């Protein structure tokens, strides 16, 4: 089945993309042709888009706060016999009723350059500068430190957490090269161990070596050596009482969500202490 999906936003469209992605994940065997239209803020701009919609009919999803632009889109979609959905309407209406005030019709207001925005930028810069064991002297400034053997998703998870505003460092656990002593004396950061199955790790490492045109018959991908690495890391995590997350069947987003939950639980315990 082929579906033309038109996403219209008066801002960056990030929210729409996430909504569409989440909804489409529930359906199999659908070839989706996405037509992405950000920064739609005038009827002249909308007219050009409506021509494309007419030529490629499908589902229209939109977040538009300008009433004139919105009414034009809805009217023309009805004339074309196409569904046009505003997925945030029900949430906005519920909030309006509960708060007793009308929603501000300002596009892109969630992207305001406020303190939280700049804190997130700072977290991203910090995380990029503390990848793969770099900058141990600054680890006490972290919110999170991830530890794990090579190719256990430490870097992509760190970057995802940074985008959520968490200053994150990561360090590889190598049998022949113990971590710096700073790792064992940290007070502020939450240290989390990442582990995975040996089979998955061998497959990932082998693919990595192939992509680099390097030999694939080394201890780096030897099953017994990899199992010893994982066991060594697990003992270290247990000896230090660090929480452990098995990333074998988790996406980066799921791993990050589990880590954030650990952070929330830790903060709650600190408040109740």
């Amino acid at each position: 089945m082929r579906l033309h999906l038109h996403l219209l936003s008066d801002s960056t469209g990030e929210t729409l993309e996430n909504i569409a992605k989440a909804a489409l994940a529930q359906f199999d065997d659908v070839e989706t042709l996405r037509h992405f239209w950000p920064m739609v803020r005038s009827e002249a701009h909308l007219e050009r888009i409506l021509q494309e919609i007419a030529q490629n009919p499908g589902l229209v999803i939109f977040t538009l706060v300008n009433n004139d632009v919105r009414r034009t889109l809805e009217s023309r979609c009805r004339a074309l016999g196409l569904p046009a959905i505003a997925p945030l309407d029900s949430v906005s209406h519920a909030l309006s009723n509960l708060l007793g005030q009308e929603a501000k019709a300002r596009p892109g207001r969630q992207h305001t350059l406020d303190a939280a925005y700049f804190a997130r930028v700072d977290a991203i810069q910090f995380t990029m500068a503390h990848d793969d064991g770099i900058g141990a002297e600054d680890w006490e400034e972290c919110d999170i430190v991830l530890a794990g053997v090579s190719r256990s998703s430490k870097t992509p998870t760190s970057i995802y957490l940074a985008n959520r505003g968490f200053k994150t460092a990561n360090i590889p656990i190598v049998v022949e090269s113990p971590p710096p002593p700073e790792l064992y004396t940290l007070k502020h950061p939450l240290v989390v161990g990442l582990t995975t199955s040996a089979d998955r790790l061998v497959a990932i490492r082998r693919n990595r070596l192939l992509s680099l045109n390097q030999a694939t018959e080394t201890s780096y991908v030897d099953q017994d050596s990899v199992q010893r690495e994982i066991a060594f890391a697990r003992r270290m995590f247990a000896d230090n009482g660090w929480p452990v997350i098995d990333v074998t069947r988790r996406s980066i987003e799921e791993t990050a969500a589990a880590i954030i939950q650990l952070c929330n639980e830790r903060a709650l315990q600190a408040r109740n202490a």
Side-chain angles (χ1 to χ4, degrees), residues 29-104:
D29 303 321
V30 179
E31 179 188 357
T32 306
L33 303 177
R34 299 192 187 195
H35 306 268
F36 183 48
W37 313 103
M39 309 304 290
V40 182
R41 297 185 178 180
S42 70
E43 294 200 51
H45 187 183
L46 178 62
E47 282 298 329
R48 296 193 296 271
I49 296 169
L50 285 166
Q51 295 175 24
E52 293 285 338
I53 293 175
Q55 293 172 11
N56 300 286
L59 176 61
V60 178
I61 307 178
F62 66 91
T63 51
L64 302 171
V65 298
N66 183 293
N67 285 327
D68 292 334
V69 174
R70 175 178 174 138
R71 278 194 292 267
T72 299
L73 174 64
E74 291 174 325
S75 174
R76 295 285 287 278
C77 284
R78 280 196 299 271
L80 292 168
L82 301 178
I85 300 169
L88 297 184
D89 274 11
S90 57
V91 177
S92 293
H93 291 157
L95 285 171
S96 180
N97 291 333
L98 284 170
L99 299 174
Q101 58 178 282
E102 292 294 324
K104 308 295 184 184

Side-chain angles (χ1 to χ4, degrees), residues 10 17 28 38-39 43 83 90 134 155 166 248:
D10 47 23
E17 285 197 300
D28 297 325
M39 309 304 290
E43 294 200 51
S90 57
I134 297 174
T155 294
F166 295 90
T248 304

Side-chain angles (χ1 to χ4, degrees), residues 132-133 136 139 147-148 171-184 232-233 236 240 242:
D132 204 30
W139 285 352
I171 179 171
I173 302 302
V174 181
V175 177
E176 300 81 7
S177 178
E182 289 90 343
L183 180 63
Y184 305 107
F232 175 79
M236 180 184 295
N240 290 277
W242 298 331

Side-chain angles (χ1 to χ4, degrees), residues 2 9 11-12 21 27 30 45 48 61-62 67 83 90 100 133 147 150 158 162 177 183 190 199 202 211 223 230:
R2 172 179 288 191
S9 172
S11 185
T12 64
K21 181 180 179 181
F27 299 89
V30 179
H45 187 183
R48 296 193 296 271
I61 307 178
F62 66 91
N67 285 327
S90 57
S150 174
S158 296
S177 178
L183 180 63
L190 172 69
D199 290 341
V202 167
S211 70
Q223 188 81 16
I230 294 172

Side-chain angles (χ1 to χ4, degrees), residues 7-21:
L7 306 175
L8 288 78
S9 172
D10 47 23
S11 185
T12 64
E14 180 182 352
T15 301
L16 270 183
E17 285 197 300
N18 289 333
I19 291 172
K21 181 180 179 181

